[in-house]
Amino acid sequence: MRGMTVRYQALRGTRDILPDEIAAWRFLENTTHEVFSRYGFRELRTPIFEATELFARSVGAATDIVRKEMYTFTAGDESVTLRPENTAPVVRAFVEHAFHRTIAAGFPERLYYLGPMFRYERPQKGRQRQFHQIGAELLGAPEPLADAETIEMAWSLLSALSIEDRELRLNTVGDTACRPRYRETLTRWLAPRLPALCEDCRRRAVENPLRVFDCKVEADRKLLEEAPDMAGSLCAPCAEHFDAVRAMLDGFKIAYVVDPRLVRGLDYYQRTVFEIVATGLGAQNALLGGGRYDGLVDELGGPAIPGFGFAAGMERLVMVMGKTAGVAVSSDVLLVGLGEIGFLASIGLARTLRARGLRVAMPLTERPLGAQMKRAERLGARFALFVGETELARGRFGLKNLTSGEQIEVDEAGIEAVVLAERNDHGR
Ligand code: AMP
C-alpha cells in the first residue's frame, strides 16, 4: 500500500550469509567434497521437504524434534515437513533406488550431503531455525571399522579446516538385545528420584528414560551423576564392538574420552554414538555428532542393513575455522574507460576478457577517473586498466597494480597474462 512503510527482516533464527562470508563457506564446502571423496563417499542431494511420517517414524515420536520442532504444513492433502535432519531422507532414497543391490560384504555404500535443515528451536548463539549441515552415511557395514573410519574422516575434515581445539566424546548405547535391560535398570533407579527432577525429565523417564542425560538443569545433572551406566548392562557383542572401535581409534592415534552420559537426541541410534565438541565455543559447542543406526533401514521399509553416520553444523564450523581459511574473491581488473570513445571500447574489451576467464568490473555508464579509482578500491580490484583514445590507437594500455602502485604498458594478450599470473600467486 502506498504511504505505508514496511521494513522486512529475516525471520528470527534465520540469517543471510553475506558476500563477505562466502569465501569461508565455499572453503568449507570445497574441503568437504575433497576430504569425503578421498574416503569413497559420493554426494546425494535429496529434496528439502519430505512426508511428515518419514521423520516421525525414524527420528522418534518422543524426541524434541518431532514433538515440537518440525516445520510441518499441509500442501494439497499431504502433510509435509521441511527436513529437520537428513539421515532419514538419505535412507529413504537408498531404499527407493534399491542401492542395497549394489553393496557387497565389506563394500558398503558411502553417501554424503550438504544443505539446509529446519528446526523450530529457541534461537541463540550457534543455534538457528534454518541452519546447514554436512553429513555422511555409510550403509551396509556392521564392522567396527565402519565406525572408526567414519569418525576418523570427521576428524580429518576438522584438521583440514584447521580446527584443532576439539574433543571427541564416545559412548555406546547398546542394541535391541541389551538396551531394554538398561532401560529397566535406569527406570527403577529414577522412580524414587522423579519428584526431585525437572518436568522434562519426568516426562522423559516415561517416554525414553535415556534422554534424561540430555537435561541441561544443573541440579538434575548433579543427581544423575550417580545413575547406573550403560556399561554395566551391555551384552557381549555390544561390548566387543565398542572395544574394537576404541582399539582402532587408538591405532589411528585419535584421542577420545568415553562419556557414559552421551546418549544423543534421536531414537534410532544403536551401539556407538559420538560427538566432537569445540573447546571454547560456549554453550552450543557440539560441532558434529552421530553414531550407528542398525535398525533404521528396515524400519523405513528396506532390508535389514546396518548404518553409521554423522552430521556437522556448518555455521559452527565456520565460526571456529582457522581465520586464514578461505580467500575472498574480488575483481581482477577494473576497466577505466577514458572519455566516450574509451568507455565504448571498454564494453567490448570487458566481454573479451570475461570470456577468457578474468573477473572484470566496469561501470555501466561513463564516469570520471576519480570516481572510478575510488570504486576500484571498494571492489578490492587488483588492477586498473586504462582505456582511452590514445591507448586504443596504439593497441597498448596502462595496467596499474593497485597493491604496489606500479604501472606497466601491455597489449591485449599481456593484460590476461599479467592478471592471471597475479591471481595464481595469490591462490585465488
Ligand atoms: P544433530 O542433528 O542434532 O545431531 O546435530 C548435528 C550438528 O548440527 C550439531 O552438532 C550442530 O553442530 C548442528 N546443529 C544442530 N542443530 C542446530 C541448530 N539449531 N543451529 C545450528 N546448528 C545446529
Side-chain angles (χ1 to χ4, degrees):
M1 225 183 301
R2 273 191 83 95
M4 227 169 82
T5 41
V6 185
R7 288 192 56 186
Y8 294 107
Q9 290 187 329
L11 292 176
R12 206 164 113 78
T14 71
R15 63 185 287 275
D16 303 308
I17 300 170
L18 298 171
D20 283 348
E21 302 171 80
I22 289 296
W25 281 78
R26 284 212 191 152
F27 178 77
L28 171 57
E29 290 157 7
N30 294 340
T31 307
T32 302
H33 295 306
E34 161 65 27
V35 172
F36 285 11
S37 63
R38 283 184 221 158
Y39 289 75
F41 279 76
R42 303 189 301 151
E43 188 182 359
L44 171 68
R45 302 185 188 189
T46 59
I48 304 288
F49 58 88
E50 300 267 356
T52 303
E53 172 67 16
L54 175 71
F55 300 111
R57 228 194 144 90
S58 56
V59 176
T63 57
D64 284 352
I65 292 185
V66 173
R67 282 182 54 249
K68 51 187 185 194
E69 293 172 1
M70 297 207 301
Y71 281 90
T72 296
F73 54 97
T74 310
D77 52 7
E78 272 179 330
S79 175
V80 302
T81 293
L82 299 183
R83 62 185 187 190
E85 61 96 47
N86 209 35
T87 298
V90 167
V91 171
R92 195 258 317 128
F94 175 88
V95 174
E96 184 171 335
H97 304 288
F99 274 38
H100 50 272
R101 295 222 191 100
T102 56
I103 61 179
F107 293 98
E109 179 65 57
R110 293 174 162 93
L111 300 168
Y112 77 96
Y113 59 84
L114 292 97
M117 306 293 154
F118 307 86
R119 295 182 197 170
Y120 189 72
E121 293 194 87
R122 195 174 50 78
Q124 64 182 83
K125 188 169 185 283
R127 192 160 77 194
Q128 293 174 204
R129 290 178 172 169
Q130 174 174 335
F131 60 100
H132 299 76
Q133 282 186 337
I134 291 166
E137 314 289 351
L138 199 146
L139 290 146
E143 299 89 353
L145 182 55
D147 311 27
E149 195 186 80
T150 311
I151 294 173
E152 195 251 324
M153 180 173 82
W155 194 257
S156 304
L157 175 65
L158 299 186
S159 301
L161 298 170
S162 315
I163 300 174
E164 301 296 341
D165 298 331
R166 56 192 162 168
E167 185 178 276
L168 169 60
R169 295 183 186 156
L170 200 65
N171 193 24
T172 174
V173 291
D175 64 6
T176 48
C178 57
R179 192 159 43 188
R181 213 159 51 209
Y182 176 59
R183 251 177 102 126
E184 252 172 59
T185 311
L186 185 62
T187 308
R188 258 201 312 277
W189 185 89
L190 284 170
R193 293 167 178 86
L194 287 182
L197 293 169
C198 74
E199 198 185 316
D200 271 347
C201 280
R202 290 203 292 271
R203 184 181 46 77
R204 291 178 183 130
V206 181
E207 291 175 349
N208 188 353
L210 266 71
R211 299 272 337 265
V212 295
F213 296 121
D214 283 342
C215 184
K216 299 279 178 286
V217 180
E218 201 46 48
D220 288 20
R221 291 177 77 97
K222 207 149 182 63
L223 200 146
L224 290 167
E225 273 173 22
E226 307 293 324
D229 288 349
M230 180 73 219
S233 304
L234 283 185
C235 60
C238 280
E240 268 166 39
H241 186 95
F242 195 47
D243 286 347
V245 173
R246 294 173 55 178
M248 286 167 190
L249 289 173
D250 291 339
F252 294 154
K253 303 219 167 359
I254 296 179
Y256 56 82
V257 287
V258 174
D259 177 358
R261 298 292 177 254
L262 178 68
V263 292
R264 311 251 329 124
L266 317 181
D267 271 5
Y268 50 60
Y269 287 114
Q270 281 190 33
R271 294 194 167 170
T272 316
V273 290
F274 76 104
E275 219 165 61
I276 299 180
V277 300
T279 41
L281 190 65
Q284 302 299 321
N285 65 353
L287 294 177
L288 61 90
R292 176 165 282 284
Y293 49 88
D294 289 351
L296 186 62
V297 184
D298 41 328
E299 178 69 28
L300 295 180
I305 278 177
F308 188 92
F310 69 86
M314 294 178 75
E315 279 78 5
R316 292 186 199 176
L317 293 177
V318 168
M319 253 189 259
V320 293
M321 251 161 49
K323 288 276 177 285
T324 49
V327 181
V329 173
S330 51
S331 298
D332 292 316
V333 57
L334 176 81
L335 299 196
V336 182
L338 304 169
E340 197 187 342
I341 291 175
F343 173 71
L344 291 176
S346 65
I347 298 171
L349 190 55
R351 285 198 68 198
T352 309
L353 295 176
R354 283 171 177 154
R356 292 187 187 150
L358 265 61
R359 300 181 193 119
V360 177
M362 64 166 282
L364 295 178
T365 182
E366 198 189 324
R367 302 283 295 140
L369 181 63
Q372 296 212 50
M373 294 313 284
K374 254 193 216 136
R375 198 67 203 170
E377 208 175 306
R378 272 281 301 281
L379 292 169
R382 298 251 169 195
F383 292 94
L385 182 81
F386 301 103
V387 187
E389 221 170 326
T390 344
E391 285 83 356
L392 287 163
R394 294 179 48 221
R396 295 185 69 80
F397 306 88
L399 182 67
K400 183 172 183 173
N401 182 322
L402 296 172
T403 320
S404 66
E406 185 196 354
Q407 184 165 330
I408 54 170
E409 261 202 5
V410 286
D411 58 12
E412 216 181 285
I415 304 170
E416 199 182 329
V418 173
V419 169
L420 289 182
E422 172 80 10
R423 199 202 278 179
N424 287 340
D425 276 355
H426 288 82
R428 51 162 209 153

